[in-house]
Amino acid sequence: MDFSIHNEAGKQGKRGLKTKELKAQFSKIRTPESAGYERTSVVSEDKISNALKIIKHSVKKWLKVDYVLADSWFI
C-alpha cells in the first residue's frame, strides 16, 4: 500500500556512481513546506527505518494484514 525509493551511500559513499556522474546529478533547493522536500528526505533514510515507518503508518490507518511483502533489495 506504500512504496519508497532509496539512494543510500553504499560502502564507498558514491551511491554506485562515478565521480563524474555524481557531479552531474541534478540538485534543487526545496522549501520545507513542499512535498518534494519530504520525498528527498525519505530518499536518504536507511531502508529499515523507512520500512518500519511505512508499517506503523499502515497500522495507524487500520490496515490489517497477515504478512508484509518486500522486494529483494530489502533482504
Side-chain angles (χ1 to χ4, degrees), residues 1 55 63-70:
M1 298 292 144
I55 292 169
L63 182 65
K64 297 181 190 244
V65 297
D66 294 325
Y67 60 92
V68 176
L69 179 64

Side-chain angles (χ1 to χ4, degrees), residues 15-54:
R15 295 179 168 82
L17 301 172
K18 297 175 184 171
T19 305
K20 185 178 178 181
E21 294 169 333
L22 281 170
K23 289 180 182 179
Q25 265 189 321
F26 176 78
S27 66
K28 179 180 178 179
I29 298 173
R30 294 173 169 88
T31 60
E33 299 84 27
S34 70
Y37 181 86
E38 181 182 349
R39 186 54 76 184
T40 55
S41 66
V42 170
V43 165
S44 58
E45 282 184 22
D46 66 295
K47 296 173 190 171
I48 300 291
S49 298
N50 202 22
L52 291 172
K53 193 182 296 184
I54 289 171

